[in-house]
Amino acid sequence: MGHRVVLWVQRRRPVQLLPPLMLLVILLAAVWAESQDYYSLLGVGREATTREIRQAFKKLALTMHPDKNPGDSSAHEKFLQVNRAYEVLKDQDLRKKYDKYGEKGLDEQQQGGRYESWNYYRYDFGDLTYCVCVCVSEAAVNSGEIWFINFYFPRCSHCHQLAPTWREFSKEMDGVIRIGAVNCGDNNHLCRRKGINSYPSLFIYRAGQKPEKFNGERSKDDLVRFSMQFITTTVTQLWQGKPLRIFHLLHYFLHTMPCSTFDGLVKVGWIDCPSQEQLCDNRSPTSTEYKKLQAFLRQDHIQVLFCLSLSGCLLAMPCLSVCPTDCLSLQVGRVDCIEDSELCQSLYIHKPCVAVFKGLGIHDFEIHHSKDVLYNIVGFARDSVRAHVTTLRPDNFPSDRKEPWLVDFFAPWCPPCRALLPELRKASIQLAGQMKFGTLDCTIHHNLCSMYNIQAYPTTVIFNGSSVHEYEGQHSADGILEFIQDLVNPSVVVLDPSSFAERVKGKSDIQIWAVDFYAPWCGPCQALIPEWRRMARLLSGQILVGSVDCQRFQSFCQSQNVRAYPEIRLYSGNARQSYNGWHRDAHSLRAWALSSLPRASVDLTPESFRSQVLSGQDHWVLDFYAPWCGPCQHFAPEFEVLARILKGEVRAGKVDCQAHHQTCQSAGITAYPTVRFYPYLGTRRHEHSGEHINSRDANMIADIIRQRLDQLSPRLHSKPKVT
């Protein structure tokens, strides 16, 4: 059994000089507070899941809420502390910052100073017990599997009505597709990024494809029918000469699984060995049957082959003989760690597990840490043999760092750690030959983790010669690749006083700079770094992004009237604007920065809509919006990005549907914001001729419009270029 590291972050509170009795009371309170960190306040361990944290907070809310303690003058402050602890620990990013930096690592704005009435916590608060996995990360959704996600809000009555149906549906589809739910009350950033503006919203996610929204009746049968249309798998009986492709599974799981378990997971082939003895038993490479199978292997798409014996669905060894050199083949075996304890101890394996050995020796292997269900085992086996991730131990830890290594320090009980592991595999494939990847289990190798001052999980570190860089981005392969790319080609310009004066201060209005004034010791500054880098990449080609180290250039920062860290500013010519927004995530910062750019779109009136869009000779993309609409406000800077991307090809306009309700009604607009493309086809257009575009991403919309223009190009060859 591995050891767990419990790291306590204590809070220091200043004590003022007061009368002796009050001083004693405050000292006692300070001692009590100092012995309580956020985990202790909620009564949970550091390995607690998000659901356990939520359940613990609800129990405390029902007893500690000021509404239930009207005679206790300290009830408000006590509940604020508990509420603050919950607000931080429920959020994976904030929780990691707290584990690493303590309260100093949290934004001052994130104080948890607001809470709901007692009735809310009694009746509306809490997971709606949708399914086993309620908290779904973006990394999981992008894992390559099919996910059906329910975006809900605790106060939504329709969400509560759907909950029992969703539970039944989840049980029925378990093993076919992945089912999840996202609480938009707790994960409002994620829901905003996904464009969720009504509850419940049900979406199918498939890697590399546009999400599909469910709009039918919310019955179990309709949900099953909708989800099954995205499953294209079949089960095919194979006989001599039939084409097939083989993928071998871990056999000791299969004997407990009926063949029907795999229907809908992967494309399956099966052979009835009692009636096809010649095919199952003949392993000679020179046999006619073997040659036929080899010839047809690449012509079919069957991923799993079972040799069906009389005892049920089993993986028989004769199946291994038909796998060609480029076909994925796993030799399957077992190790009894009681009989061969020396081997297991040398590999630091102390409990039953599944491991994939990569074929480069006994010490090059990876352990499966996810839930022991069949589709997780299958996915792990498939991905691990292709990936380049090694389980690290003291004897193979890259302490010499002769070549670049990415090391993930993790704990198996940590949900974000488990979500990150498949993303590391994807990234390792992309960076094969350029960087090595390894994982270190800190519950086993806690001394090695302590040596590198690991205080939160997961902590991902890149060792590159004498340089050490800690990864602070999203738990996704794309995030890791972007971070590494940023190390090679930095998106944020490091500014000093001379370069600031030369490049930023007093330059042309055309060149706009976003600058972060920070101090390395400042917790919120450290938390901002990955978001600032991400924002810089999002603004590439539009706004320049820089940073100034105010610990190194203290007098310079004082001369710029920087009084607190981080101080975020925009510089345009001699004008300066400070960021005072609530959120410091990349998307909020990007929207703020883009709002400073000159508009590339135009406002349209009913008259200009008729004369320029319907009767004009230009292509138009329009944003129909309402000023009071929150999603419209969020989309506004994105539409300006779209206008700049398409400048010279398509004109961009905005129609205020509150001021011009009749125009929007005539155009058939029923929701805000609505994006429509009006191509010029050589004749006058009708109000309803606009083509609806179901996206709020500028690059995606631009791609859709350009593809449409390519389709129309034979009819548009004489069209003059937009000016």
Side-chain angles (χ1 to χ4, degrees), residues 275-334:
S275 63
Q276 299 288 341
E277 292 183 10
Q278 187 178 10
L279 178 60
C280 289
D281 294 339
N282 198 325
R283 286 176 275 176
S284 171
T286 59
S287 69
T288 303
E289 290 78 13
Y290 186 92
K291 290 179 178 178
K292 286 180 180 178
L293 289 175
Q294 289 280 52
F296 286 112
L297 268 169
R298 296 172 185 83
Q299 298 180 26
D300 202 49
H301 299 287
I302 293 175
Q303 297 169 281
V304 180
L305 173 67
F306 297 113
C307 294
L308 188 64
S309 68
L310 293 174
S311 60
C313 206
L314 296 173
L315 185 66
M317 292 309 291
C319 294
L320 294 173
S321 64
V322 297
C323 195
T325 55
D326 61 345
C327 175
L328 179 60
S329 176
L330 294 180
Q331 300 288 339
V332 181
R334 277 184 165 188

Side-chain angles (χ1 to χ4, degrees), residues 265-565:
L265 284 174
V266 288
K267 194 171 184 184
V268 175
W270 62 277
I271 301 174
D272 184 2
C273 287
S275 63
Q276 299 288 341
E277 292 183 10
Q278 187 178 10
L279 178 60
C280 289
D281 294 339
N282 198 325
R283 286 176 275 176
S284 171
T286 59
S287 69
T288 303
E289 290 78 13
Y290 186 92
K291 290 179 178 178
K292 286 180 180 178
L293 289 175
Q294 289 280 52
F296 286 112
L297 268 169
R298 296 172 185 83
Q299 298 180 26
D300 202 49
H301 299 287
I302 293 175
Q303 297 169 281
V304 180
L305 173 67
F306 297 113
C307 294
L308 188 64
S309 68
L310 293 174
S311 60
C313 206
L314 296 173
L315 185 66
M317 292 309 291
C319 294
L320 294 173
S321 64
V322 297
C323 195
T325 55
D326 61 345
C327 175
L328 179 60
S329 176
L330 294 180
Q331 300 288 339
V332 181
R334 277 184 165 188
V335 175
D336 187 333
C337 285
I338 296 177
E339 294 183 2
D340 205 344
S341 59
E342 185 177 347
L343 172 63
C344 295
Q345 288 176 6
S346 71
L347 300 177
Y348 292 87
I349 294 175
H350 306 297
K351 59 183 180 180
C353 65
V354 175
V356 170
F357 289 80
K358 307 299 184 77
L360 298 176
I362 195 169
H363 294 288
D364 184 22
F365 67 95
E366 185 181 5
I367 294 176
H368 175 249
H369 290 288
S370 188
K371 192 176 179 182
D372 284 337
V373 294
L374 185 64
Y375 47 72
N376 283 343
I377 298 289
V378 172
F380 167 73
R382 181 187 63 237
D383 296 340
S384 183
V385 294
R386 296 189 178 101
H388 308 280
V389 179
T390 300
T391 295
L392 296 174
R393 305 168 306 287
D395 54 338
N396 70 344
F397 190 85
S399 54
D400 54 3
R401 307 168 195 166
K402 293 179 181 178
E403 50 194 341
W405 270 86
L406 183 147
V407 178
D408 177 42
F409 298 86
F410 76 103
W413 50 258
C414 156
C417 301
R418 294 196 298 267
L420 177 60
L421 292 175
E423 297 302 308
L424 290 177
R425 295 182 199 114
K426 293 180 188 176
S428 74
I429 295 171
Q430 295 289 326
L431 294 171
Q434 305 174 51
M435 179 171 292
K436 293 193 172 183
F437 284 67
T439 60
L440 188 73
D441 184 346
C442 288
T443 64
I444 298 175
H445 308 292
H446 46 86
N447 290 334
L448 190 53
C449 294
S450 297
M451 184 187 304
Y452 289 93
N453 195 31
I454 304 304
Q455 298 179 340
Y457 308 125
T459 293
T460 305
V461 179
I462 295 172
F463 298 101
N464 186 16
S466 59
S467 301
V468 179
H469 306 276
E470 183 175 338
Y471 175 65
E472 289 277 6
Q474 289 184 337
H475 295 165
S476 67
D478 288 341
I480 294 169
L481 294 171
E482 287 177 0
F483 180 80
I484 294 172
Q485 183 183 11
D486 200 69
L487 291 178
V488 178
N489 298 303
S491 55
V492 176
V493 180
V494 178
L495 297 168
D496 56 27
S498 60
S499 61
F500 182 88
E502 178 184 346
R503 303 184 63 180
V504 181
K505 199 67 181 290
K507 295 302 177 183
S508 167
D509 292 346
I510 299 175
Q511 195 174 71
I512 298 176
W513 278 84
V515 180
D516 168 32
F517 295 88
Y518 73 98
W521 49 260
C522 154
C525 301
Q526 293 296 321
L528 176 63
I529 288 174
E531 299 298 327
W532 195 248
R533 286 176 179 153
R534 194 172 302 118
M535 182 204 73
R537 290 192 293 272
L538 292 172
L539 291 174
S540 178
Q542 302 174 81
I543 293 176
L544 296 170
V545 179
S547 62
V548 177
D549 183 347
C550 288
Q551 179 174 290
R552 185 179 176 189
F553 305 112
Q554 186 175 5
S555 58
F556 169 73
C557 292
Q558 289 176 348
S559 71
Q560 297 298 312
N561 295 314
V562 176
R563 298 289 181 260
Y565 310 121

Side-chain angles (χ1 to χ4, degrees), residues 665-693:
Q665 190 176 44
S666 300
I669 305 302
T670 58
Y672 313 120
T674 291
V675 180
R676 283 196 177 173
F677 174 48
Y678 289 83
Y680 175 64
L681 303 176
T683 60
R684 188 184 187 281
R685 289 164 282 204
H686 189 268
E687 288 92 340
H688 291 280
S689 63
E691 301 175 9
H692 178 68
I693 298 179

Side-chain angles (χ1 to χ4, degrees), residues 612-655:
Q612 297 185 44
V613 178
L614 301 183
S615 301
Q617 297 184 6
D618 294 319
H619 306 306
W620 282 86
V621 59
L622 301 187
D623 171 23
F624 295 89
Y625 73 100
W628 47 262
C629 159
C632 300
Q633 297 167 15
H634 187 256
F635 177 63
E638 193 74 17
F639 188 74
E640 291 302 314
V641 172
L642 173 67
R644 281 186 283 274
I645 292 174
L646 294 176
K647 188 174 182 180
E649 301 174 70
V650 178
R651 299 188 66 180
K654 295 172 68 73
V655 179

